[in-house]
Amino acid sequence: DRSGVSHCITWRSALRCKRVNINGATAFGVSGTPADCASLGISGKLFDGLVPDLVLSGINIGNNCGLHVVYSGTVAGAREAFIYGIPALSMSYNWVAGQSSVNDLKVAAEVCIPLINAVMVEIKSGTYPKGSFLNIDVPSDAAHHKGYKITKQGKYMARIGWEQTVYQKPSVESYQTASMDIDGEKDRDIDTSSANDLLFKRVIVKRSYDEEEGEDMDYKSLADGYITVTPLVALSRAEADVIPYYKACLSRI
């Protein structure tokens, strides 16, 4: 599980890679992050020099709407391919703890196939735009979704806090889906030299989004039952209206 690693890459150590069994595919397991997987996959080093037409990253357990895009390893896998000029889609399923199942991930994959096929047609015809990649979020009731909807990235966020714990591994799920109050594997590895260390676990304080956001924002549309399709770019530019302010500040220094 590489939830919450964002665009982290492996740099100081070698990346381990091995063949794995996935029916109908030539597949490899990689020791690194989603961005590492995308980078190695498009490098031509694994597939006899072949470079893919399209990179798919996911499906993630938990939505990647709003500000979760910043933290998401799934989105970063698609972003890494996009940076190197390969069309890419990131896909996430709005998992509900205690309600969703592994089969829902299969259904979520199936409802994305028409969109993937449409993108492939555009790529093959040379008409697919190169200025963005797509972030797709599938609603909890994937089998009864309301259709695809082009959306904008909003400000949805599961706000994170901290609580002290006596366990080294208090959560076995992702930062989005975990029941943060349930402790998992009890720490048995702390030696006597670290017995006085303070341990903390992440807890979800609240989930929030700007209620003034429009109907075309990603999280609100997802919550309304749509499969959201959000074009993203790699740049993190500030809003244009703040530029004059900072120019004026610099002129006074």
Side-chain angles (χ1 to χ4, degrees), residues 1 7 26 33 48 60 64 69 78 85 88 103 105 114 119 128 142 147 162 164-165 189 194 220 224 234 242 245 247:
D1 185 355
H7 210 112
T26 301
T33 65
D48 298 324
N60 186 63
N64 274 311
V69 165
N103 186 64
L105 297 176
V119 168
Y128 190 74
W162 294 92
Q164 195 166 350
T165 181
D189 301 322
S194 60
K220 187 176 190 310
D224 287 342
V242 304
Y245 168 82
K247 282 184 175 179

Side-chain angles (χ1 to χ4, degrees), residues 15-22 26-33 36-37 40 46-47:
L15 196 65
R16 289 180 288 109
C17 183
K18 65 180 180 180
R19 287 289 292 264
V20 294
N21 254 340
I22 295 181
T26 301
F28 295 86
V30 178
S31 63
T33 65
D36 288 329
C37 288
L40 187 59
L46 286 179
F47 302 103

Side-chain angles (χ1 to χ4, degrees), residues 96-183:
V96 177
Q99 175 182 318
S100 299
S101 69
V102 172
N103 186 64
D104 291 318
L105 297 176
K106 181 176 183 291
V107 175
E110 289 170 346
V111 299
C112 288
I113 288 174
L115 178 59
I116 294 168
N117 288 338
V119 168
M120 282 301 302
V121 169
E122 294 295 313
I123 291 171
K124 292 294 187 181
S125 67
T127 55
Y128 190 74
K130 297 181 179 180
S132 63
F133 65 99
L134 297 180
N135 182 36
I136 302 164
D137 284 280
V138 179
S140 302
D141 190 1
H144 301 97
H145 66 86
K146 294 181 179 178
Y148 302 108
K149 185 177 182 181
I150 297 295
T151 54
K152 299 175 183 177
Q153 182 186 1
K155 297 179 181 179
Y156 169 77
M157 182 67 186
R159 302 288 173 178
I160 302 295
W162 294 92
E163 284 185 2
Q164 195 166 350
T165 181
V166 295
Y167 298 99
Q168 181 147 347
K169 297 180 180 178
S171 173
V172 295
E173 296 185 80
S174 80
Y175 74 104
Q176 283 217 62
T177 63
S179 177
M180 294 292 185
D181 294 323
I182 299 176
D183 288 323

Side-chain angles (χ1 to χ4, degrees), residues 62-74:
N63 78 74
N64 274 311
C65 293
L67 294 174
H68 285 297
V69 165
V70 177
Y71 295 91
S72 171
T74 302

Side-chain angles (χ1 to χ4, degrees), residues 2 5-17 29-40 76 80 84:
R2 294 293 186 267
V5 299
S6 190
H7 210 112
C8 179
I9 60 172
T10 300
W11 186 260
R12 290 183 174 86
S13 60
L15 196 65
R16 289 180 288 109
C17 183
V30 178
S31 63
T33 65
D36 288 329
C37 288
S39 179
L40 187 59
E80 179 72 9
Y84 283 87

